[in-house]
Amino acid sequence: MDTGRGISHTGACQGEGGSTGSAASDSSTSGSGGAQQRELERMAEVLVTGEQLRLRLHEEKVIKDRRHHLKTYPNCFVAKELIDWLIEHKEASDRETAIKLMQKLADRGIIHHVCDEHKEFKDVKLFYRFRKDDGTFPLDNEVKAFMRGQRLYEKLMSPENTLLQPREEEGVKYERTFMASEFLDWLVQEGEATTRKEAEQLCHRLMEHGIIQHVSNKHPFVDSNLLYQFRMNFRRRRRLMELLNEKSPSSQETHDSPFCLRKQSHDNRKSTSFMSVSPSKEIKIVSAVRRSSMSSCGSSGYFSSSPTLSSSPPVLCNPKSVLKRPVTSEELLTPGAPYARKTFTIVGDAVGWGFVVRGSKPCHIQAVDPSGPAAAAGMKVCQFVVSVNGLNVLHVDYRTVSNLILTGPRTIVMEVMEELEC
């Protein structure tokens, strides 16, 4: 990362001056519960929006190490420069709006002044930082539930996972549903819970915090054949201006609404996809928004360091390998073998890294999003993965490689081998 140590910025820790009616008890309880739910939804939206912004600012070097009075402040940004950036990238119409947007993030504890001397976000040359970049982000119960739910969502959305399916309940068909009993089995199988009882307790917490919900909102979570959905679409790309919308996201009835439990739609025209053609000419449709999230995911989808959201339908991914023939690790390492080594440094953007890994001993690149960072770095299908961040992975399967990438830093260094005549 460009540390920018040779650039001096003034004002790291010093700023420029100047700167109900009564109701019946049952309805009151209901109103209180609804208000709490809306607050949880707003909090979740701010968390996702803030994380997407953080990753974009890292990518564009707005966040970097800076010096002031011979002291280095790691991973920070200058308030005035950020406001310029927000206006330039049409995230805010004017400076006043940009300040309001960043103040929303500050009020939620997502960003803070590097010396914690200014609670208000100011349009001056002050240094601010995302708390996730300095490890001071408060992990209260709500945030923990949100992060747990996000990780589960990403694991379920991986291409090889079939738990989320269109299903019918009471004559109505719903998208991306899971059956309660099957979900409990999966949680135990994936090591998310040690017992079925513990898995059920986890689901109760996810419901309490508004992460999952019965498809028609008629039932609590019970170990049964009832259908449930994730209330929040973690992958929709947020606009910062949404932070100023006082309406609860659940009240938005558009197809982009992250909290709208939609019935199945047959309109696939708006999905963003690219085609990857194997040597057998079979076509795989892989949605470009299917890069998975910042949280750890036990499988390899589109590797991503950020939550990206979409109203697109589930991905259609042909599981067949793009390789012309099986290749062993020993063959790759044979002296004089027709393979060339290449090393890529891939920085995940606000959408993701943009590639799919498959296979075992060695793993190979199954698909590459042509608009993603991996493609920009030179990654191609059919390449074999040799190492990830210096760790040799020639003798492991794609799940291990996936875990290394998804639990590692946003910037990954990958060494691959490519057949000279592939």
Side-chain angles (χ1 to χ4, degrees):
M1 182 177 68
D2 177 12
T3 61
R5 295 178 183 272
I7 301 176
S8 175
H9 295 267
T10 61
C13 297
Q14 296 178 355
E16 297 177 3
S19 229
T20 76
S22 62
S25 59
D26 57 346
S27 62
S28 175
T29 302
S30 175
S32 175
Q36 182 182 19
Q37 183 60 55
R38 287 191 295 273
E39 175 60 21
L40 288 173
E41 292 172 356
R42 280 193 291 267
M43 179 205 69
E45 282 296 294
V46 176
L47 288 173
V48 173
T49 304
E51 178 63 10
Q52 290 181 355
L53 176 62
R54 184 183 74 89
L55 294 168
R56 289 177 67 191
L57 296 179
H58 271 289
E59 171 67 18
E60 301 203 19
K61 300 296 189 292
V62 178
I63 294 177
K64 57 186 177 183
D65 295 358
R66 301 175 186 271
R67 288 183 64 84
H68 177 67
H69 290 170
L70 302 181
K71 182 176 179 179
T72 299
Y73 296 86
N75 292 325
C76 63
F77 59 88
V78 179
K80 193 175 185 66
E81 293 180 4
L82 177 59
I83 290 176
D84 293 337
W85 186 91
L86 291 174
I87 294 174
E88 178 185 350
H89 288 77
K90 303 188 186 311
E91 292 288 354
S93 56
D94 51 57
R95 305 190 78 80
E96 181 180 357
T97 301
I99 292 172
K100 289 180 180 179
L101 290 170
M102 298 311 297
Q103 188 63 50
K104 286 280 187 180
L105 298 183
D107 292 342
R108 292 284 183 172
I110 294 175
I111 64 170
H112 68 119
H113 177 248
V114 292
C115 299
D116 289 319
E117 293 179 358
H118 302 275
K119 291 185 178 180
E120 294 183 357
F121 189 85
K122 301 180 179 181
D123 186 4
V124 294
K125 291 185 177 180
L126 286 172
F127 290 173
Y128 288 82
R129 184 185 292 127
F130 281 80
R131 288 192 179 276
K132 192 167 183 180
D133 282 331
D134 60 15
T136 62
F137 192 78
L139 293 177
D140 56 22
N141 289 335
E142 285 77 13
V143 173
K144 288 179 181 178
F146 168 81
M147 296 177 70
R148 186 75 176 274
Q150 184 181 30
R151 185 174 76 243
L152 294 175
Y153 180 88
E154 292 302 335
K155 294 177 77 170
L156 289 169
M157 289 294 287
S158 63
E160 66 270 19
N161 195 301
T162 59
L163 197 64
L164 296 184
Q165 294 286 342
R167 295 182 176 90
E168 283 191 16
E169 185 170 294
E170 297 181 349
V172 179
K173 195 167 187 177
Y174 297 91
E175 286 186 34
R176 294 177 179 174
T177 69
F178 58 87
M179 191 178 297
S181 57
E182 293 180 357
F183 188 51
L184 295 176
D185 292 336
W186 179 82
L187 288 171
V188 175
Q189 178 184 341
E190 290 293 310
E192 294 289 346
T194 55
T195 65
R196 195 174 186 84
K197 182 178 180 180
E198 182 181 326
E200 192 167 359
Q201 291 173 344
L202 170 59
C203 291
H204 287 308
R205 289 198 299 274
L206 293 176
M207 284 203 74
E208 289 171 5
H209 291 285
I211 306 297
I212 62 173
Q213 177 178 308
H214 178 252
V215 289
S216 60
N217 203 21
K218 293 180 179 178
H219 302 281
F221 188 90
V222 289
D223 186 355
S224 64
N225 291 337
L226 290 174
L227 301 182
Y228 296 81
Q229 288 174 314
F230 278 78
R231 299 192 72 224
M232 184 175 188
N233 184 343
F234 290 93
R235 296 185 172 190
R236 180 178 61 85
R237 178 68 173 269
R238 267 66 168 175
R239 297 287 296 177
L240 279 179
M241 288 298 295
E242 294 177 37
L243 296 178
L244 301 182
N245 184 2
E246 294 302 321
K247 286 187 177 182
S248 168
S250 59
S251 66
Q252 301 172 9
E253 295 300 328
T254 69
H255 285 290
D256 287 332
S257 173
F259 293 101
C260 181
L261 295 178
R262 302 189 308 279
K263 299 175 184 178
Q264 187 175 28
S265 168
H266 299 287
D267 183 7
N268 296 342
R269 290 172 296 178
K270 294 182 180 180
S271 62
T272 303
S273 305
F274 71 92
M275 293 185 295
S276 173
V277 184
S278 70
S280 61
K281 302 302 181 185
E282 292 179 317
I283 297 178
K284 290 162 283 300
I285 306 295
V286 187
S287 173
V289 296
R290 288 283 291 117
R291 306 181 193 171
S292 49
S293 173
M294 62 180 180
S295 59
S296 173
C297 167
S299 60
S300 69
Y302 281 99
F303 292 121
S304 164
S305 53
S306 73
T308 58
L309 306 154
S310 170
S311 57
S312 300
V315 174
L316 305 174
C317 184
N318 190 326
K320 291 186 178 181
S321 173
V322 296
L323 299 179
K324 296 178 180 178
R325 62 179 181 82
V327 176
T328 65
S329 299
E330 290 71 23
E331 179 180 342
L332 291 177
L333 298 175
T334 301
Y339 297 95
R341 287 186 181 242
K342 295 184 177 181
T343 301
F344 305 126
T345 298
I346 307 170
V347 181
D349 61 14
V351 182
W353 286 288
F355 65 95
V356 174
V357 173
R358 284 293 183 272
S360 177
K361 303 178 182 179
C363 303
H364 64 272
I365 304 302
Q366 174 78 3
V368 179
D369 178 356
S371 64
M379 181 174 283
K380 301 176 182 178
V381 296
C382 297
Q383 293 172 336
F384 297 96
V385 183
V386 176
S387 68
V388 175
N389 293 330
L391 183 64
N392 189 294
V393 294
L394 277 173
H395 301 286
V396 300
D397 65 9
Y398 74 90
R399 290 184 176 86
T400 303
V401 174
S402 303
N403 190 55
L404 283 173
I405 295 171
L406 290 166
T407 58
R410 191 172 60 94
T411 299
I412 58 174
V413 179
M414 293 186 63
E415 184 181 12
V416 303
M417 296 187 77
E418 178 180 284
E419 190 170 6
L420 293 178
E421 298 181 359
C422 182

